[in-house]
Amino acid sequence: MAASPVTATVDFAARGKQFGHLRVPHSRNDHGWAVIPIPIVVIANGTGATVLLSAGNHGDEYEGQVALLDLARTLDPGQLQGRVILLPAMHFPAALAGTRLSPLDNRDFNRCFPGDPFGSFAFVLAHYVDSVLLALCDFQMDLHSGGTGMDIIASACGHVLDDAGQQAKTLAMADAFGAPITLLLREVNAGPTLLAAAERRGIVALSSELGGGGRLNPDNYRITRRGAENVLRHAGVLEGPPRHDRPPRRMTVPSLDHYVIAPEAGIFQADHRLGADVRKGEVAGRLHFIEKPDRAPLELSYGAGGLLWCTRHVGRVQAGDPVAVIAVDL
Ligand SMILES: [Zn+2]
């Protein structure tokens, strides 16, 4: 594939702390040579692993964005052995807008990997992140939460992998992050995600779910900020062991039967709070149809029992929307 048109104002080989930008071409009606500058921070010292920490993949997920801003300001290069690359607002147009999708091309950045240097803005950026930044990395973590639409129990997440060795490394880093739950996920359409791109390169890689509802949750912020440093300790870039309150609970979402999906559009009324223990076949909630007052609500039930790990935050749902996701112990 062709080289990326993206350029960086930082030197990835230099030591010390650099605040700079990735310049991603974005042609407009009034300027054909315009670029969108995406903030990047590189902090390096001595020799050791390279860790990429990113947030703002989805612009309406805030814990990671603020945690990485704080890490960028406070991390002292003298403390490090290795290199830390921080992208606090990776999909910058979406992060500025506070939206999941890009206001430029309406793309979900986390469905654009491995990207395309001749594609739209999100594809060009994804291609750079994959072919240039991931190529530098030993460890990578992309900080997500439930965004505007979902509420999720704070979790460090990896995919269910075929390679047992890579799976063990993923679990070890997720435990080191130190969220209440370490979770292995079978995801709807995992292939074009950043996490899958990192896995294809053999990088020890994680995502996360750290709250949601379109807000910055203070408890989950503390987990995220501590977790980001814990990943650096796990990679040997910072000294000392990861710091935890208690060991994470290892869980998995083993199949799509663990998702409750709305078969029609309507207003979803959940029967349970996030974190409830639920049984297979139990009513998960009801869909209401305001356009048909004579129609009874439609009951939706759980296809599997376990912990209600993720719930719909916004009341109105479309046909095909997951309204609940169940996790079970690994
Ligand atoms: Zn996300």
Side-chain angles (χ1 to χ4, degrees):
M1 197 174 268
S4 175
V6 178
T7 57
T9 66
V10 290
D11 177 358
F12 292 107
R15 294 184 180 179
K17 186 188 294 196
Q18 304 170 75
F19 289 86
H21 293 97
L22 303 177
R23 291 174 169 159
V24 185
H26 178 61
S27 180
R28 305 192 312 258
N29 275 332
D30 65 334
H31 211 314
W33 298 332
V35 296
I36 291 185
I38 296 182
I40 184 168
V41 186
V42 181
I43 311 167
N45 186 47
T47 56
T50 294
V51 183
L52 171 64
L53 297 174
S54 52
N57 181 328
H58 296 130
D60 60 346
E61 303 171 6
Y62 301 108
E63 288 82 359
Q65 296 184 44
V66 178
L68 294 191
L69 288 175
D70 190 56
L71 194 62
R73 286 190 301 266
T74 56
L75 209 54
D76 172 3
Q79 300 172 292
L80 303 188
Q81 282 296 323
R83 178 169 53 180
V84 182
I85 302 172
L86 300 173
L87 289 171
M90 180 163 51
H91 196 198
F92 189 58
L96 271 187
T99 54
R100 178 178 177 86
L101 305 182
S102 170
L104 298 181
D105 57 11
N106 214 34
R107 301 302 306 216
D108 180 336
F109 183 60
N110 213 28
R111 303 293 181 272
C112 293
F113 286 84
D116 178 354
F118 300 126
S120 68
F121 182 90
F123 281 91
V124 171
L125 177 61
H127 174 262
Y128 180 86
V129 170
D130 182 57
S131 64
V132 178
L133 297 186
L134 288 184
L136 298 172
C137 286
D138 304 293
F139 301 88
Q140 176 265 341
M141 185 165 186
D142 190 27
L143 296 164
H144 288 257
S145 75
T148 308
M150 306 298 279
D151 283 315
I152 307 180
I153 300 176
S155 309
C157 304
H159 285 143
V160 178
L161 301 175
D162 294 332
D163 181 327
Q166 195 176 8
Q167 186 80 92
K169 289 178 185 173
T170 301
L171 280 167
M173 185 158 84
D175 285 346
F177 181 83
I181 293 176
T182 281
L183 186 114
L184 293 183
L185 188 63
R186 274 198 201 280
E187 213 177 349
V188 175
N189 196 19
T193 63
L194 171 54
L195 179 57
E199 288 160 359
R200 284 191 288 271
R201 289 181 174 272
I203 297 165
V204 184
L206 287 177
S207 178
S208 67
E209 300 295 351
L210 296 157
R215 69 190 286 259
L216 178 60
N217 178 305
D219 294 332
N220 290 340
Y221 173 76
R222 280 189 285 277
I223 292 167
T224 309
R225 179 63 183 82
R226 183 187 63 187
E229 263 187 45
N230 280 341
V231 167
L232 301 183
R233 291 191 182 95
H234 179 75
V237 171
L238 278 179
E239 258 194 345
R243 294 168 186 166
H244 294 158
D245 301 328
R246 57 185 179 279
R249 181 178 178 185
R250 283 187 173 186
M251 306 195 80
T252 183
V253 178
S255 79
L256 297 185
D257 291 341
H258 290 69
Y259 290 71
V260 178
I261 294 178
E264 300 179 56
I267 298 170
F268 181 66
Q269 178 189 16
D271 267 28
H272 300 107
R273 286 205 172 90
L274 193 65
D277 280 312
V278 301
R279 287 172 285 115
K280 181 178 178 177
E282 189 176 1
V283 172
R286 291 157 184 82
L287 272 181
H288 296 272
F289 307 98
I290 53 167
E291 68 279 24
K292 293 180 180 169
D294 60 333
R295 185 176 172 189
L298 179 67
E299 285 185 348
L300 306 184
S301 55
Y302 298 110
L307 180 79
L308 182 55
W309 173 70
C310 167
T311 59
R312 177 72 174 165
H313 180 77
V314 174
R316 179 154 280 283
V317 300
Q318 305 296 316
D321 283 356
V323 293
V325 182
I326 303 302
V328 296
D329 287 309
L330 255 186

